[in-house]
Amino acid sequence: MKQHQHSEKRSKSIEKEEYSEVLFGRHVVMKVFKEKKQINKLFIQKGLTGSGVKDILRAAKQQGVVFIEVPKTKLDELTDNGNHQGVAITLPPFEYKTLEDCFQLAQEREEAPFLLILDGIEDPHNLGSILRTAEATGVHGVIIPKRRAVGLTGIVAKTSAGSIEKVPVVRVTNIAQTVELLKQKGVWVFATAMSGEDMRTWNSEGAIALVIGNEGQGVSQNVIAACDGTVTIPMTGTTQSLNASVAAGVLMYEVARNRLGK
């Protein structure tokens, strides 16, 4: 037992604020995979080989865990120079939920499903702020992609001011496919776009999902193509776009406006 104590301590590196917990060492990492616990990311040292590493990578692929190859110096920093043996994993501060959990929550509240889809939000402060507003406006679930986007981290939890515990967060492999699935379940899906329908004339009643795009590029074209329509926030100033969390907040309240008091 003593020989593995170093592998289960929390990292005190720069990454500590981003991830709630870092576990490292091949035995410990493989144990987590065998127990099928939720994992944010797997970090593998570049050029590392051996049966133990192959087993870990195989488990990661089977369970859909994102893995990244990094230099040894990155792992040293992540683990506070612990005996990481070339592997480390980060764990989310809160468990991810499923789409069914979101629909179940809507059913319990006797409300039409109201979902938020975040297409590649990278700033943890934005995600935390969005979760906070989502909880305030009655959103039944927030959907995020597994890759090229921020997940549930310590910073997200802190920024959300406790909302991370009240709003189900679902992590999916493919946003466009998830949009199609939601449409099959009777949910109308709308993406934000500069050329979209003015939100003042937008019909946001009923089962609805709103797609908010990446801070820089907006909603990806393949996701827009999968949606039922697009919506935009009218602006009178010279600013052409809003911060992702602000835009999400404005549109979430527009949806909530039709539901308040009902």
Side-chain angles (χ1 to χ4, degrees):
M1 181 68 181
K2 187 176 181 180
Q3 63 180 339
H4 296 301
Q5 284 180 349
H6 65 272
S7 303
E8 300 195 13
K9 68 179 180 179
R10 289 176 181 270
S11 169
K12 295 179 181 178
S13 66
I14 296 172
E15 302 278 348
K16 184 179 179 182
E17 285 188 27
E18 185 176 353
Y19 302 107
S20 64
E21 191 169 16
V22 179
L23 301 182
F24 51 93
R26 297 184 192 184
H27 173 77
V28 172
V29 168
M30 196 63 210
K31 183 173 182 288
V32 174
F33 274 110
K34 286 179 178 178
E35 293 173 352
K36 294 189 175 179
K37 292 182 179 179
Q38 293 195 3
I39 299 170
N40 256 343
K41 288 180 182 177
L42 164 67
F43 294 87
I44 294 280
Q45 184 176 317
K46 285 183 179 178
L48 204 62
T49 58
S51 59
V53 176
K54 288 181 180 178
D55 289 341
I56 290 171
L57 284 172
R58 188 181 301 113
K61 290 175 182 178
Q62 289 174 347
Q63 295 180 32
V65 173
V66 176
F67 62 90
I68 305 171
E69 286 193 326
V70 296
K72 181 177 180 297
T73 52
K74 173 69 173 179
L75 283 166
D76 290 342
E77 179 188 12
L78 188 64
T79 63
D80 259 3
N81 294 306
N83 183 19
H84 51 72
Q85 300 173 307
V87 294
I89 52 174
T90 56
L91 307 182
F94 294 93
E95 283 193 3
Y96 290 101
K97 302 297 184 179
T98 66
L99 280 177
E100 289 309 314
D101 291 326
C102 302
F103 284 101
Q104 179 65 33
L105 180 59
Q107 186 176 355
E108 289 171 0
R109 293 179 181 172
E110 299 182 346
E111 298 169 344
F114 177 17
L115 304 171
L116 194 66
I117 303 172
L118 306 181
D119 185 18
I121 297 295
E122 298 175 344
D123 187 331
H125 295 95
N126 275 341
L127 178 55
S129 296
I130 288 170
L131 287 175
R132 191 171 182 175
T133 308
E135 196 269 328
T137 54
V139 170
H140 301 112
V142 175
I143 300 167
I144 63 175
K146 285 186 176 181
R147 295 182 179 274
R148 294 181 290 277
V150 66
L152 296 184
T153 68
I155 293 176
V156 173
K158 185 177 180 180
T159 310
S160 78
S163 297
I164 195 171
E165 300 180 62
K166 301 172 184 175
V167 180
V169 178
V170 181
R171 199 162 59 160
V172 300
T173 303
N174 188 294
I175 293 291
Q177 288 178 4
T178 301
V179 168
E180 294 292 352
L181 177 61
L182 291 174
K183 287 162 62 178
Q184 290 172 19
K185 289 179 174 289
V187 178
W188 289 87
V189 186
F190 294 88
T192 54
M194 292 291 291
S195 57
E197 179 183 355
D198 190 317
M199 76 172 193
R200 292 171 295 183
T201 59
W202 173 46
N203 181 4
S204 62
E205 295 185 355
I208 195 166
L210 181 62
V211 186
I212 303 295
N214 171 277
E215 291 91 348
Q217 287 75 42
V219 180
S220 52
Q221 288 302 311
N222 65 319
V223 173
I224 288 178
C227 292
D228 292 300
T230 56
V231 62
T232 192
I233 301 169
M235 289 178 280
T236 58
T238 57
T239 301
Q240 294 299 305
S241 62
L242 297 174
N243 170 277
S245 63
V246 173
V250 170
L251 291 169
M252 279 188 275
Y253 269 102
E254 178 60 25
V255 176
R257 186 175 62 84
N258 293 317
R259 296 174 176 235
L260 292 173
K262 292 187 179 181

